[in-house]
Amino acid sequence: GLAAPKSGSTGDGYAFAKSFGHTVIAPYPALVRLLCKGRGLKKLSGLRARATVRLLIANKERCREYGEVQFNADGLSGIPVMSLSRLALHAVAQNEDVRIALNLFPQDLTEEEERGLLSELIYTNGWGKTLKEALTGLISEEFAEVLLRDVFGKQVSEKSRGSHVSSVGGLSSAAGMMDTKKAASQTSKKEFERLHFAITNLTFQVVGSKGFDAAQTTAGGIPLREIDAATFESKLQKGLYLCGELLDV
C-alpha cells in the first residue's frame, strides 16, 4: 500500500499488478484523521468528547460509530472518526457533500431519554449552578464554554425543516449567544430546545484527510472481482497472488 511511507511503503505492488492487466482503483488514505470545516473547531482544538459519530453523504446518513472524538484545529480524529474515513473520503473524491454529525449524549438514548437527561442536568441538578457548570455532567466545562458561546443561530430553523445538519456546519454563528454564567434554572424552553439540538447535531464538513503519512491503511487498489476469494490468486495471471492493502477492501 501507500500508507505510512516512513515504514517503507512505496505502492510498487499496484504497478506490478497493473503490468499483469489488473485494474487499479486510485488508492487513497483510510483509517486516517479527517480535515474538516466548521465554526468552533479552533476553539475546540485539544478537547475530547465521547459521541455518536454519524457520516452524512448528500444529507443522508450512511453509517455511524460511537467512541471518543478528538478535536483538532483543522479537523477530527479518534477511533470512530477514523473508522468512517474510508467511506467519507471516497465520497469527497466524488465531489459529494460529506459531513460528520456528532451526538454528545450517551450511546443509544431515545430522544425522550436525551431530553430527560438534559432536563435533569439543568433543572433538577442545576440549582445553584451556572448553565456551563450544569452541563459538565455531560461534557467538559471547556467544551460547554464553547458550546454555549457559539451554538445558537440557524440550528432551530434547520430542525424545523427536518434537516440532519445545520446549514453552516459546526457550531453555528451566534445569533443569540448565551451567557455562560447564566443560572441553569433560568434556561427558557426555547433555549432548552436549541441546546438539545446543538448537542445532538454538532456538524462539520469533511474536506479531505491528513494524507498517507498519517494513514494506517490504504483504500482503493485491485477490485475483488479480479481475485479468487478462496486463494487470492489472480484471475488474470496464473501463479500471481495478491492480498493485503493491494486489494480494494
Side-chain angles (χ1 to χ4, degrees):
L2 290 167
K6 289 183 179 180
S7 68
S9 300
T10 62
D12 289 343
Y14 301 116
F16 296 154
K18 196 170 184 178
S19 70
F20 286 101
H22 279 284
T23 304
V24 177
I25 299 169
Y28 57 95
L31 289 178
V32 65
R33 174 176 153 191
L34 295 177
L35 298 178
C36 301
K37 290 183 178 180
R39 298 179 189 274
L41 267 179
K42 289 185 178 180
K43 296 178 183 178
L44 292 170
S45 180
L47 299 182
R48 302 183 181 203
R50 297 190 70 80
T52 297
V53 183
R54 297 184 296 134
L55 175 63
L56 307 176
I57 299 175
N59 209 31
K60 294 182 180 179
E61 182 175 330
R62 295 290 296 274
C63 54
R64 62 173 63 191
E65 297 283 345
Y66 181 80
E68 186 177 73
V69 177
Q70 300 173 25
F71 294 83
N72 307 292
D74 58 357
L76 303 170
S77 59
I79 291 174
V81 173
M82 294 173 70
S83 295
L84 300 175
S85 62
R86 184 188 190 281
L87 288 175
L89 294 172
H90 182 267
V92 168
Q94 304 301 313
N95 295 316
E96 296 192 70
D97 180 68
V98 181
R99 297 175 188 253
I100 293 289
L102 307 178
N103 182 337
L104 302 173
F105 281 103
Q107 188 178 19
D108 295 331
L109 293 187
T110 65
E111 184 173 341
E112 182 179 356
E113 290 170 334
E114 291 172 351
R115 291 176 181 278
L117 175 57
L118 187 59
S119 179
E120 181 179 353
L121 290 171
I122 293 175
Y123 299 116
T124 304
N125 301 335
W127 285 98
K129 299 179 181 179
T130 65
L131 184 54
K132 180 176 69 173
E133 292 170 338
L135 289 176
T136 56
L138 180 64
I139 54 180
S140 70
E141 188 169 333
E142 295 87 351
F143 205 112
E145 176 83 24
V146 177
L147 197 69
L148 292 173
R149 287 190 177 279
D150 294 280
V151 77
F152 300 105
K154 297 183 179 179
Q155 295 161 319
V156 173
S157 62
E158 287 296 318
K159 184 181 181 185
S160 67
R161 293 200 296 270
S163 174
H164 285 293
V165 299
S166 69
S167 59
V168 294
L171 303 176
S172 68
S173 57
M177 171 169 63
M178 180 175 282
D179 182 0
T180 59
K181 297 181 180 180
K182 178 178 181 175
S185 60
Q186 296 178 3
T187 303
S188 69
K189 182 178 180 180
K190 183 177 180 180
E191 290 169 337
F192 179 91
E193 292 297 324
R194 297 167 86 175
L195 186 56
H196 174 265
F197 185 67
I199 292 171
T200 56
N201 289 275
L202 184 57
T203 307
F204 302 95
Q205 183 178 14
V206 180
V207 296
S209 78
K210 293 297 287 184
F212 286 111
D213 285 344
Q216 295 183 21
T217 189
T218 308
I222 296 121
L224 296 181
R225 66 177 181 273
E226 298 180 2
I227 303 296
D228 185 318
T231 64
F232 293 99
E233 185 176 16
S234 166
K235 292 181 179 179
L236 306 182
Q237 178 64 50
K238 188 174 178 58
L240 176 65
Y241 294 84
L242 303 165
C243 63
E245 292 186 40
L246 289 179
L247 305 181
D248 182 34
V249 295

